[in-house]
Amino acid sequence: MSKIFVVGSINVDYVMEITHLPLLGETLPSQSFLMNFGGKGANQAVALAKQNEEVYLIGCVGQDTMGKDSIQSLNQYGVHTDFIKTIEHQNTGLAFILVENHNNRILLHAGANQNIQKQQILDALSLAKPNDYLLVQLETNLDMVYFAIHEAQKRKMNVVFNPAPVQSIDMEILDFIDILIVNEIECEMLLHCKYDQKEQVQSFINKHQIDYFIVTLGEKGAMFYHQQDVTSYPAHAVKVVDTTAAGDTFIGAFLSEWIHTADLSQSMQYAIVASALTCTHIGAQKSIQSREEVQNYLKVHF
Ligand code: RIB
């Protein structure tokens, strides 16, 4: 069984449902409040663990109750937490999520997430074998994102990159990526073109020798590029409550299905349904459905 190493963030999400964004100087009561565990790295690790994968999260929490609780919750989901470090005098990462009309806006405080160190990555990757997977996003210190990618490449691992939240990066790092997964906005900011400008996208992935390029498009589904092949996949319609962690679920579900079946179309369709199901609940990790739950849903609805 392949191991998956996630270098990524661990946050506590404070979620409020609101009727509208408060104006400058306005105090607005929220419709509901929820505190739950999030962070793109942790969410993706949980999505993989809920698919029964062997997943190791490399990250940092602060020396506070939230940090301890986050690690405990990750353990309960089955994520290996031996390579998570507790950082003194730092707080665990925080995300303030405002859900307005089922869509979210996120304010982030990175806190301890910016403190990942080389040794943590080296210790974790000492367990890795060729063809295992490294999965990284952009909510941690950028130097360690690059370091992890280079170390994974040295070990002939597969590298999966989700450049979220999108920011300016050293584009040469993309030469070491096997699977690049972005949303519509990240696609435009990184590639300077729309997800359906096929020639531009293909020339970008050829230039960086990216094997598989996936754009998740929310209610428009997802698009998949591989060499000369381009395929669009429709979304799966559900009653959306909150879209938080839908993208993270897609990544975990896609990767798991892809590792086990090597069937692109099946993996895309499975990931689309899994991420749609996450949208039917409020919150991040707690909303992600297990393999069994997704499969039961598929039996009833397909
Ligand atoms: O991808 C969703 C995540 O983004 C949230 O859980 C929040 O913590 C932010 O990092």
Side-chain angles (χ1 to χ4, degrees), residues 11 13 38-40 43 95 97 106 108 139 244-245 248 284:
N11 294 335
D13 292 352
K40 291 189 193 305
N43 293 349
I97 304 185
I106 303 183
L108 211 57
E139 273 184 354
T244 307
D248 300 326

PDB file of all heavy atoms in Angstrom, residues 11 13 38-40 43 95 97 106 108 139 244-245 248 284, ligand 1:
ATOM      1  N   ASN A  11      -5.354  24.024  11.131  1.00  0.00           N
ATOM      2  CA  ASN A  11      -6.049  25.209  11.653  1.00  0.00           C
ATOM      3  C   ASN A  11      -7.226  24.812  12.526  1.00  0.00           C
ATOM      4  O   ASN A  11      -7.745  23.706  12.412  1.00  0.00           O
ATOM      5  CB  ASN A  11      -6.637  26.053  10.508  1.00  0.00           C
ATOM      6  CG  ASN A  11      -5.576  26.680   9.628  1.00  0.00           C
ATOM      7  OD1 ASN A  11      -4.453  26.894  10.064  1.00  0.00           O
ATOM      8  ND2 ASN A  11      -5.928  26.964   8.390  1.00  0.00           N
ATOM      9  N   ASP A  13     -10.963  26.197  12.738  1.00  0.00           N
ATOM     10  CA  ASP A  13     -11.868  27.061  11.966  1.00  0.00           C
ATOM     11  C   ASP A  13     -12.996  27.569  12.866  1.00  0.00           C
ATOM     12  O   ASP A  13     -13.650  26.782  13.563  1.00  0.00           O
ATOM     13  CB  ASP A  13     -12.507  26.272  10.812  1.00  0.00           C
ATOM     14  CG  ASP A  13     -11.499  25.872   9.741  1.00  0.00           C
ATOM     15  OD1 ASP A  13     -10.341  26.318   9.801  1.00  0.00           O
ATOM     16  OD2 ASP A  13     -11.894  25.110   8.837  1.00  0.00           O
ATOM     17  N   GLY A  38      -9.749  22.344  10.951  1.00  0.00           N
ATOM     18  CA  GLY A  38      -9.586  22.583   9.518  1.00  0.00           C
ATOM     19  C   GLY A  38      -8.121  22.740   9.157  1.00  0.00           C
ATOM     20  O   GLY A  38      -7.239  22.179   9.810  1.00  0.00           O
ATOM     21  N   GLY A  39      -7.870  23.543   8.128  1.00  0.00           N
ATOM     22  CA  GLY A  39      -6.517  23.703   7.583  1.00  0.00           C
ATOM     23  C   GLY A  39      -6.404  22.814   6.355  1.00  0.00           C
ATOM     24  O   GLY A  39      -6.766  21.640   6.418  1.00  0.00           O
ATOM     25  N   LYS A  40      -5.898  23.378   5.269  1.00  0.00           N
ATOM     26  CA  LYS A  40      -5.900  22.598   4.025  1.00  0.00           C
ATOM     27  C   LYS A  40      -5.105  21.294   4.144  1.00  0.00           C
ATOM     28  O   LYS A  40      -5.531  20.246   3.665  1.00  0.00           O
ATOM     29  CB  LYS A  40      -5.354  23.437   2.877  1.00  0.00           C
ATOM     30  CG  LYS A  40      -6.300  24.553   2.502  1.00  0.00           C
ATOM     31  CD  LYS A  40      -5.893  25.262   1.241  1.00  0.00           C
ATOM     32  CE  LYS A  40      -6.693  26.547   1.098  1.00  0.00           C
ATOM     33  NZ  LYS A  40      -8.144  26.361   1.136  1.00  0.00           N
ATOM     34  N   ASN A  43      -7.047  18.946   6.455  1.00  0.00           N
ATOM     35  CA  ASN A  43      -8.273  18.477   5.796  1.00  0.00           C
ATOM     36  C   ASN A  43      -7.959  17.414   4.745  1.00  0.00           C
ATOM     37  O   ASN A  43      -8.661  16.398   4.627  1.00  0.00           O
ATOM     38  CB  ASN A  43      -8.994  19.636   5.083  1.00  0.00           C
ATOM     39  CG  ASN A  43      -9.542  20.675   6.044  1.00  0.00           C
ATOM     40  OD1 ASN A  43      -9.580  20.451   7.249  1.00  0.00           O
ATOM     41  ND2 ASN A  43      -9.962  21.808   5.511  1.00  0.00           N
ATOM     42  N   ALA A  95      -8.597  30.009  11.305  1.00  0.00           N
ATOM     43  CA  ALA A  95      -9.315  30.507  10.124  1.00  0.00           C
ATOM     44  C   ALA A  95     -10.683  31.006  10.573  1.00  0.00           C
ATOM     45  O   ALA A  95     -11.395  30.296  11.283  1.00  0.00           O
ATOM     46  CB  ALA A  95      -9.463  29.398   9.096  1.00  0.00           C
ATOM     47  N   ILE A  97     -14.159  31.834   9.215  1.00  0.00           N
ATOM     48  CA  ILE A  97     -14.891  31.535   7.976  1.00  0.00           C
ATOM     49  C   ILE A  97     -16.291  32.130   8.055  1.00  0.00           C
ATOM     50  O   ILE A  97     -17.061  31.809   8.961  1.00  0.00           O
ATOM     51  CB  ILE A  97     -14.960  30.003   7.746  1.00  0.00           C
ATOM     52  CG1 ILE A  97     -13.536  29.433   7.742  1.00  0.00           C
ATOM     53  CG2 ILE A  97     -15.711  29.675   6.466  1.00  0.00           C
ATOM     54  CD1 ILE A  97     -13.430  27.967   7.418  1.00  0.00           C
ATOM     55  N   ILE A 106     -12.770  33.349   3.725  1.00  0.00           N
ATOM     56  CA  ILE A 106     -11.901  32.876   4.807  1.00  0.00           C
ATOM     57  C   ILE A 106     -10.815  33.900   5.129  1.00  0.00           C
ATOM     58  O   ILE A 106     -10.142  34.408   4.237  1.00  0.00           O
ATOM     59  CB  ILE A 106     -11.243  31.523   4.417  1.00  0.00           C
ATOM     60  CG1 ILE A 106     -12.323  30.485   4.085  1.00  0.00           C
ATOM     61  CG2 ILE A 106     -10.320  31.027   5.533  1.00  0.00           C
ATOM     62  CD1 ILE A 106     -11.809  29.094   3.760  1.00  0.00           C
ATOM     63  N   LEU A 108      -7.338  34.166   7.391  1.00  0.00           N
ATOM     64  CA  LEU A 108      -6.413  33.172   7.922  1.00  0.00           C
ATOM     65  C   LEU A 108      -5.338  33.805   8.796  1.00  0.00           C
ATOM     66  O   LEU A 108      -4.796  34.849   8.454  1.00  0.00           O
ATOM     67  CB  LEU A 108      -5.750  32.543   6.698  1.00  0.00           C
ATOM     68  CG  LEU A 108      -5.312  31.110   6.723  1.00  0.00           C
ATOM     69  CD1 LEU A 108      -6.471  30.200   7.043  1.00  0.00           C
ATOM     70  CD2 LEU A 108      -4.723  30.753   5.357  1.00  0.00           C
ATOM     71  N   GLU A 139      -0.225  26.702   2.596  1.00  0.00           N
ATOM     72  CA  GLU A 139      -0.582  27.402   3.852  1.00  0.00           C
ATOM     73  C   GLU A 139       0.531  27.301   4.888  1.00  0.00           C
ATOM     74  O   GLU A 139       0.299  27.592   6.062  1.00  0.00           O
ATOM     75  CB  GLU A 139      -1.885  26.832   4.434  1.00  0.00           C
ATOM     76  CG  GLU A 139      -3.121  27.505   3.879  1.00  0.00           C
ATOM     77  CD  GLU A 139      -4.422  27.046   4.503  1.00  0.00           C
ATOM     78  OE1 GLU A 139      -4.424  26.108   5.316  1.00  0.00           O
ATOM     79  OE2 GLU A 139      -5.447  27.622   4.160  1.00  0.00           O
ATOM     80  N   THR A 244     -16.912  24.690   2.405  1.00  0.00           N
ATOM     81  CA  THR A 244     -15.591  24.554   3.042  1.00  0.00           C
ATOM     82  C   THR A 244     -15.109  23.100   2.963  1.00  0.00           C
ATOM     83  O   THR A 244     -15.865  22.174   3.260  1.00  0.00           O
ATOM     84  CB  THR A 244     -15.651  24.979   4.532  1.00  0.00           C
ATOM     85  OG1 THR A 244     -16.212  26.274   4.603  1.00  0.00           O
ATOM     86  CG2 THR A 244     -14.273  24.974   5.174  1.00  0.00           C
ATOM     87  N   ALA A 245     -13.852  22.937   2.567  1.00  0.00           N
ATOM     88  CA  ALA A 245     -13.180  21.628   2.481  1.00  0.00           C
ATOM     89  C   ALA A 245     -13.659  20.754   1.318  1.00  0.00           C
ATOM     90  O   ALA A 245     -13.230  19.608   1.195  1.00  0.00           O
ATOM     91  CB  ALA A 245     -13.270  20.841   3.790  1.00  0.00           C
ATOM     92  N   ASP A 248     -10.585  20.153  -0.684  1.00  0.00           N
ATOM     93  CA  ASP A 248      -9.689  19.231   0.043  1.00  0.00           C
ATOM     94  C   ASP A 248     -10.210  17.800  -0.072  1.00  0.00           C
ATOM     95  O   ASP A 248      -9.433  16.851  -0.223  1.00  0.00           O
ATOM     96  CB  ASP A 248      -9.599  19.637   1.524  1.00  0.00           C
ATOM     97  CG  ASP A 248      -9.049  21.050   1.686  1.00  0.00           C
ATOM     98  OD1 ASP A 248      -8.200  21.455   0.870  1.00  0.00           O
ATOM     99  OD2 ASP A 248      -9.474  21.752   2.622  1.00  0.00           O
ATOM    100  N   ALA A 284     -15.427  21.698   8.222  1.00  0.00           N
ATOM    101  CA  ALA A 284     -14.354  21.171   7.374  1.00  0.00           C
ATOM    102  C   ALA A 284     -14.201  19.654   7.574  1.00  0.00           C
ATOM    103  O   ALA A 284     -14.948  18.871   6.983  1.00  0.00           O
ATOM    104  CB  ALA A 284     -13.061  21.916   7.662  1.00  0.00           C
TER     105      ALA A 284
HETATM  106  O1  RIB B   1      -9.735  24.454   2.447  1.00  0.00           O
HETATM  107  C1  RIB B   1     -10.495  24.814   3.553  1.00  0.00           C
HETATM  108  C2  RIB B   1      -9.606  25.285   4.671  1.00  0.00           C
HETATM  109  O2  RIB B   1      -9.011  26.496   4.304  1.00  0.00           O
HETATM  110  C3  RIB B   1     -10.338  25.591   5.959  1.00  0.00           C
HETATM  111  O3  RIB B   1     -10.503  24.460   6.781  1.00  0.00           O
HETATM  112  C4  RIB B   1      -9.511  26.685   6.593  1.00  0.00           C
HETATM  113  O4  RIB B   1      -8.779  26.275   7.702  1.00  0.00           O
HETATM  114  C5  RIB B   1      -8.600  27.177   5.469  1.00  0.00           C
HETATM  115  O5  RIB B   1      -7.328  26.826   5.680  1.00  0.00           O
END
